[in-house]
Amino acid sequence: MKPKIVIGNWKMNKNFDEAEDLISEIEEKLADYNFETEIVLCPPLVYAELVTDHANEEGSQFYAGVQNVSEYENGAYTGEVSAEMLAGMDVSFCIVGHSERRKYFGETNEIVLKKMLRLLANDIVPVMCCGESLDERKSGKHFEIVQKQLEESVYKLTPEQMERVIIAYEPIWAIGTGETATPAQAQEMLAFIRSLIEKKFGTEMAVNTYILYGGSCNAKNALELFSQQDVDGGLIGGASLKADDFFKIIEAGETVIKEN
Ligand code: PGA
């Protein structure tokens, strides 16, 4: 079993002082350990430099990530931030295709693909989110929806590009709702996603690709979710805003690795 990856998605939360405090608290908690679990903090973009400064410190145990990037390379796109700019700030990971961006900002699969290509060209790891709505699940269309999201994004990558992508399955009905997918539901979908990767890119790629679960993953349920065979870690929203909870989720990742 490969080490887990735990990614904190702060969304649009924390003022500057609170962001500094949260990073320091996480650092203090990690200081006594040398975890195998890879940890990524994705604060709001405006704090990217804050988090990269900390991530670049000697002995730091986390990587710097952000939650969005422009689909364009550079030029007259007021308010946008390019992948090249992020790379220049030492950002290592970037979330793309989060359901909140799909819903509120019209991020289509086509845009998701463009963003991934920009990130990959700048050596930033895309964390590509997919997942179905409650209606889609209730009508039994969840596999079809996720398959389409993958076919229109990661399926268009070359194997060399795909090697550097992380996939996060986040059922929309579980995001921020407190209603987590059951471990069996998470496992079922992640195994399906892995089978799609296998079909397109082969067995080795399928085995090596990191596929995370996200959606009300917390300190209490992380161990059970991470114990599922195909769950390579978590994309954590609400619970990543409290150092204690986030640390317990990282510990859950460690526990699973040590037991296997
Ligand atoms: P949540 O969010 O953990 O608060 O449900 C997860 C996410 O949207 O990435």
Side-chain angles (χ1 to χ4, degrees), residues 3-212:
K4 303 290 180 194
I5 296 184
V6 174
I7 303 179
N9 173 12
W10 294 10
K11 309 196 178 180
M12 197 171 72
N13 291 296
K14 302 287 177 192
N15 65 31
F16 188 80
D17 290 345
E18 290 165 349
E20 274 191 317
D21 288 349
L22 180 53
I23 293 171
S24 303
E25 284 171 40
I26 292 169
E27 277 175 340
E28 272 168 35
K29 291 199 171 294
L30 292 172
D32 296 337
Y33 302 89
N34 193 3
F35 285 151
E36 265 189 86
T37 302
E38 288 201 4
I39 304 159
V40 184
L41 302 186
C42 299
L45 190 52
V46 70
Y47 307 142
E49 198 172 349
L50 176 68
V51 81
T52 53
D53 279 352
H54 282 266
N56 285 342
E57 277 169 17
E58 211 186 311
S60 169
Q61 298 193 58
F62 57 78
Y63 295 92
V66 292
Q67 305 164 21
N68 189 30
V69 65
S70 176
E71 71 203 79
Y72 301 109
E73 193 170 354
N74 55 44
Y77 299 102
T78 302
E80 290 291 271
V81 171
S82 72
E84 188 186 4
M85 293 170 191
L86 295 177
M89 292 171 79
D90 287 339
V91 167
S92 314
F93 293 77
C94 179
I95 300 169
V96 287
H98 191 283
S99 60
E100 286 152 16
R101 293 215 58 88
R102 290 178 191 263
K103 179 175 173 194
Y104 301 121
F105 305 99
E107 202 159 303
T108 59
N109 292 334
E110 196 189 342
I111 295 174
V112 169
L113 174 62
K114 283 187 186 164
K115 290 185 175 190
M116 282 200 294
L117 291 171
R118 296 270 168 245
L119 292 168
L120 290 163
N122 286 279
D123 288 329
I124 297 172
V125 174
V127 180
M128 207 289 286
C129 302
C130 58
E132 80 286 355
S133 67
L134 188 57
D135 281 351
E136 287 159 351
R137 178 159 282 260
K138 278 186 176 158
S139 55
K141 290 203 184 119
H142 43 301
F143 293 116
E144 198 184 302
I145 292 293
V146 169
Q147 180 163 352
K148 186 166 159 40
Q149 288 169 338
L150 263 65
E151 280 173 356
E152 294 181 1
S153 58
V154 292
Y155 263 43
K156 313 248 184 215
L157 300 176
T158 65
E160 292 70 31
Q161 290 168 330
M162 183 61 204
E163 261 172 17
R164 295 180 280 144
V165 171
I166 293 175
I167 294 177
Y169 166 63
E170 298 203 311
I172 298 167
W173 46 273
I175 296 176
T177 57
E179 190 181 337
T180 321
T182 63
Q185 283 172 325
Q187 167 57 28
E188 184 185 37
M189 183 59 89
L190 267 58
F192 174 68
I193 293 171
R194 211 176 289 286
S195 76
L196 292 175
I197 298 170
E198 181 166 26
K199 219 178 277 171
K200 172 72 182 169
F201 295 101
T203 307
E204 201 183 332
M205 185 80 79
V207 170
N208 291 336
T209 299
Y210 269 86
I211 311 177
L212 314 183

Side-chain angles (χ1 to χ4, degrees), residues 1-6 29-30 32-39 61 210 219 222-227 231-234 245-260:
M1 201 180 250
K2 47 191 190 285
K4 303 290 180 194
I5 296 184
V6 174
K29 291 199 171 294
L30 292 172
D32 296 337
Y33 302 89
N34 193 3
F35 285 151
E36 265 189 86
T37 302
E38 288 201 4
I39 304 159
Q61 298 193 58
Y210 269 86
L223 185 63
E224 211 186 343
L225 285 162
F226 292 176
S227 301
V231 180
D232 295 324
D245 289 3
F246 192 56
F247 180 74
K248 281 185 190 138
I249 295 170
I250 298 163
E251 273 189 318
E254 285 299 299
T255 305
V256 175
I257 291 305
K258 289 206 181 93
E259 283 173 1
N260 282 274

